Amino acid sequence: MDLMEDSLPPMTHFVLPGGHTTVSFCHIARTVCRRAERLASHLNDLEPFQPETLMYINRLSDYLFVLARKLSHDLQAEEIKWIPNKES
């Protein structure tokens, strides 16, 4: 994951999902992983389990995000940056 990230331009903005079908699948998988992480965290509050499990799920979602960025780069798909409107 670190090698993939080192080959990418630095992030300057939040990246919106999309740009290519394969990239979108990675973002969907990351979303499912984050949901599992929230559920596992809640379960851990009720019935504690090995802390490495939550660390693994968190790292997996990070990997899926970097993989999506790497695929965007390799496929020359546009990364759609989210730039919030600044209202005065």
Side-chain angles (χ1 to χ4, degrees):
M1 180 169 79
D2 293 335
L3 291 174
M4 281 193 302
E5 193 163 30
D6 288 344
S7 71
L8 298 170
M11 284 187 60
T12 57
H13 295 85
F14 183 78
V15 178
L16 296 173
H20 190 279
T21 304
T22 306
V23 175
S24 295
F25 288 149
C26 283
H27 283 293
I28 291 168
R30 181 180 57 87
T31 302
V32 172
C33 190
R34 285 284 189 214
R35 185 182 320 137
E37 183 181 9
R38 288 190 303 274
L39 290 170
S41 179
H42 180 67
L43 176 61
N44 189 52
D45 290 342
L46 299 174
E47 186 66 40
F49 51 84
Q50 293 179 328
E52 295 84 8
T53 304
L54 287 175
M55 290 171 23
Y56 176 83
I57 295 171
N58 178 268
R59 194 70 174 153
L60 177 60
S61 64
D62 291 345
Y63 170 78
L64 291 168
F65 180 75
V66 173
L67 180 61
R69 290 199 67 224
K70 177 72 170 134
L71 287 170
S72 287
H73 183 263
D74 291 351
L75 296 167
Q76 298 178 350
E78 180 184 2
E79 277 192 333
I80 303 163
K81 296 179 176 139
W82 181 69
I83 303 172
N85 292 332
K86 298 194 182 219
E87 296 181 26
S88 316

